[in-house]
Amino acid sequence: MNIDSIQNGIVLDHISAGMCMEIYRLLRLDQLSCSVAIIKNAKSKRMGRKDIIKIDEDIDVDLNILGYIDPNITVNIIRDGKLVCKHKLDLPHELNGVIMCRNPRCITSTENSAEHCFYLADAAHKIYRCRYCDTAYGK
Amino acid sequence: MRNLIDIRDMTVEEIDRMLDLADRIFEHPEQYRDTANHKTLATLFFEPSTRTRLSFEAAMLELGGRILGFSSAASSSATKGESVADTVAVVSGYCDIIAMRHPKEGAPVVAARHATVPVINAGDGGHNHPTQTLTDLMTIRREKGRLCDMNIGLCGDLQFGRTVHSLIAAMSRSPGIRFSLISPDELCIPDYVREILTERGCDFVEIGSMEEVMPTLDVLYMTRVQKERFFNEADYIRLKDSYILDPAKLSRAKDDLCVMHPLPRVNEISTLVDNDPRACYFKQARYGKYVRMALILTLLELVKEG
């Protein structure tokens, strides 16, 4: 399958197979007016199968969100049809407005104006805790 | 330092300075009598409290300041659905400093973001209670003469006991501290507290029985085992008496053990222990006023150098 190469934009490569729609949602790519190509289950020597997202515009991508989802994703910046920059991702220390605290005793469950904020508590186990109540995300 | 939301926001040096000031106020209260003249403390208690609210109010009055506020959510606009953010934004216009207790965890973080005056967390659900921790630290330092090199036993409900979480967070930064965490499995410390201990390389042991560590303890911090925390009554009945401190258990302890309790006590410390010189819990409650005086002066930037 062929997808046209882009002139100015961003290619998100080495996305774990099956994760591209989650990234599409969290980066709010549905709100863009430019072309966005989603490639699922592409063959990969390194990963077996992978997903790829091509964005045909040079937008500001929230690297924190990508780093949170998968720090192994490669972010390629394309200008005039050439690769000009590759971003290496890390697990972000802070994650604001991305994931939600599920603790019913947390103030975010009742205070609508409070943005959901998390901090990286344990990088080795990728544990994020709510800035308000210290509850681990997903627990 | 502008607010006190979590004891982890304070450096070891800031805590030392706060306790030094609290000691100076304790020794010479007359020198601080009018230091907060014309200043107003708002006590916003969305949840009932006896000791904490009264000690905040006593502290402010003793400093020559004034107080206003409410003592339950029922007597505030929270019943009409007003948010914490709006409440503190309004109250900021009527006072110089806010002490807030709220049943929701993290509510003081929201308050601090929307207030234009300093905010003190006076307890947020089962989460944190930093001014109780300052009280506990003042008690340990005054009674033991140090905040390092000791074995601290924490006993009872370590899962939901917010004072326990804050005390561990504070004391785990001191050298030579060993924690003996005494609780039933159902009420052991939460994961995030265990992470703090592990991250700081702190020495700790989790056990179910008070008796086996009693002779080794320098401080014993008792908390209440609450019946409503258990899933079935049989477990509660099986465990409740294990965590009652009485003269027989205390007979195996060191002569200079410091027995503490954040209060209120129900039956976890026998009243027969009250006259034992090692019982420090009523002194601890008294120290709470002085440490809150020190905190109010610090946050209002009214500290007289000692």
Side-chain angles (χ1 to χ4, degrees):
Chain A
M1 189 174 72
N2 291 322
I3 303 283
D4 289 344
S5 56
I6 55 178
Q7 284 299 305
N8 291 292
I10 297 164
V11 176
L12 307 179
D13 200 359
H14 302 114
I15 301 169
S16 299
M19 288 304 294
C20 65
M21 290 313 293
E22 176 78 354
I23 292 171
Y24 185 84
R25 185 181 65 80
L26 288 171
L27 293 180
R28 299 190 175 101
L29 299 182
D30 58 318
Q31 293 173 14
L32 297 178
S33 54
C34 66
S35 302
V36 177
I38 294 172
I39 304 162
K40 293 185 71 173
N41 298 320
K43 283 183 185 168
S44 164
K45 281 183 187 168
R46 173 152 59 108
M47 302 170 69
R49 295 278 174 183
K50 66 176 180 178
D51 291 355
I52 303 167
I53 297 176
K54 293 188 175 188
I55 305 162
D56 196 14
E57 195 173 290
D58 196 0
I59 61 163
D60 282 334
V61 170
D62 190 332
L63 298 179
N64 278 349
I65 293 178
L66 287 176
Y68 167 70
I69 295 169
D70 184 354
N72 297 314
I73 293 172
T74 312
V75 181
N76 301 299
I77 309 295
I78 312 292
R79 298 233 170 85
D80 299 325
K82 290 179 182 165
L83 174 66
V84 293
C85 180
K86 268 189 191 231
H87 286 294
K88 190 179 178 305
L89 301 178
D90 289 311
L91 280 177
H93 293 291
E94 299 270 344
L95 209 50
N96 299 329
V98 179
I99 50 178
M100 293 178 69
C101 183
R102 304 283 183 211
N103 175 10
R105 295 183 300 274
C106 180
I107 187 65
T108 55
S109 67
T110 53
E111 190 86 359
N112 293 333
S113 68
E115 185 180 45
H116 288 250
C117 303
F118 284 76
Y119 65 93
L120 181 60
D122 181 344
H125 299 96
K126 199 185 167 185
I127 294 172
Y128 281 87
R129 292 195 176 278
C130 175
R131 176 63 67 198
Y132 300 90
C133 68
D134 288 302
T135 300
Y137 179 66
K139 291 197 175 177
Chain B
M1 192 174 125
R2 177 176 160 76
N3 306 296
L4 179 58
I5 306 301
D6 186 322
I7 197 70
R8 290 174 289 177
D9 297 339
M10 291 182 77
T11 64
V12 173
E13 293 73 26
E14 283 174 328
I15 289 174
D16 279 344
R17 276 201 298 275
M18 190 76 71
L19 298 183
D20 289 345
L21 176 60
D23 280 343
R24 291 202 298 275
I25 299 172
F26 181 80
E27 304 294 345
H28 301 287
E30 71 286 351
Q31 292 179 9
Y32 295 85
R33 206 154 278 160
D34 297 317
T35 40
N37 263 349
H38 309 298
K39 298 289 184 186
T40 302
L41 166 75
T43 50
L44 309 186
F45 277 62
F46 294 85
E47 193 178 58
S49 151
T50 307
R51 266 155 308 282
T52 306
R53 185 171 60 83
L54 291 181
S55 69
F56 265 112
E57 294 184 354
M60 193 56 168
L61 292 171
E62 197 141 327
L63 292 168
R66 294 169 298 212
I67 51 170
L68 56 82
F70 51 83
S71 56
S72 77
S75 52
S76 79
S77 283
T79 53
K80 299 175 191 167
E82 186 173 47
S83 65
V84 169
D86 285 359
T87 303
V88 297
V90 170
V91 172
S92 290
Y94 308 148
C95 67
D96 301 285
I97 186 166
I98 292 171
M100 187 178 98
R101 170 168 288 190
H102 198 283
K104 289 285 186 182
E105 299 172 9
V109 178
V110 174
R113 283 184 188 160
H114 292 85
T116 55
V117 298
V119 173
I120 301 169
N121 179 4
D124 59 332
H127 187 221
N128 275 318
H129 196 352
T131 61
Q132 179 65 48
T133 306
L134 288 172
T135 303
D136 298 342
L137 295 176
M138 181 178 179
T139 307
I140 294 172
R141 205 172 78 154
R142 286 194 71 85
E143 298 302 316
K144 305 299 294 180
R146 65 188 189 280
L147 284 176
C148 59
D149 302 314
M150 63 179 81
N151 190 354
I152 301 176
L154 296 128
C155 179
D157 179 357
L158 309 187
Q159 174 91 56
F160 298 99
R162 58 190 168 195
T163 61
V164 167
H165 307 164
S166 295
L167 184 59
I168 290 174
M171 289 298 288
S172 59
R173 295 190 290 198
S174 299
I177 298 294
R178 176 183 167 83
F179 291 103
S180 298
L181 306 170
I182 310 154
S183 75
D185 289 343
E186 296 89 332
L187 297 176
C188 66
I189 53 166
D191 287 344
Y192 88 94
V193 176
R194 200 173 286 109
E195 279 167 22
I196 291 172
L197 289 167
T198 308
E199 188 183 298
R200 293 182 181 161
C202 223
D203 189 10
F204 71 99
V205 57
E206 294 183 75
I207 48 169
S209 156
M210 187 194 297
E211 284 88 338
E212 63 182 279
V213 289
M214 186 65 91
T216 69
L217 299 178
D218 299 296
V219 171
L220 175 57
Y221 195 96
M222 295 294 296
T223 63
R224 186 157 52 101
V225 175
Q226 293 169 280
K227 188 177 177 181
E228 58 270 29
R229 304 295 191 199
F230 286 83
F231 291 114
N232 67 69
E233 194 166 344
D235 281 347
Y236 171 71
I237 291 167
R238 176 172 55 84
L239 293 165
K240 66 181 174 74
D241 290 341
S242 316
Y243 302 98
I244 293 177
L245 181 65
D246 55 26
K249 291 192 181 105
L250 200 55
S251 68
R252 304 189 62 223
K254 290 181 183 174
D255 291 340
D256 63 347
L257 174 72
C258 172
V259 179
M260 298 169 65
H261 192 302
L263 304 179
R265 160 183 61 175
V266 179
N267 63 348
E268 58 277 8
I269 300 178
S270 160
T271 52
L272 296 173
V273 172
D274 291 356
N275 291 327
D276 190 296
R278 293 170 289 188
C280 297
Y281 30 92
F282 292 121
K283 267 196 255 183
Q284 184 184 353
R286 189 167 168 234
Y287 292 144
K289 180 181 75 173
Y290 296 97
V291 94
R292 289 180 176 101
M293 289 167 79
L295 178 62
I296 290 168
L297 289 181
T298 303
L299 292 179
L300 289 176
E301 298 179 346
L302 298 171
V303 177
K304 284 182 187 174
E305 291 306 320

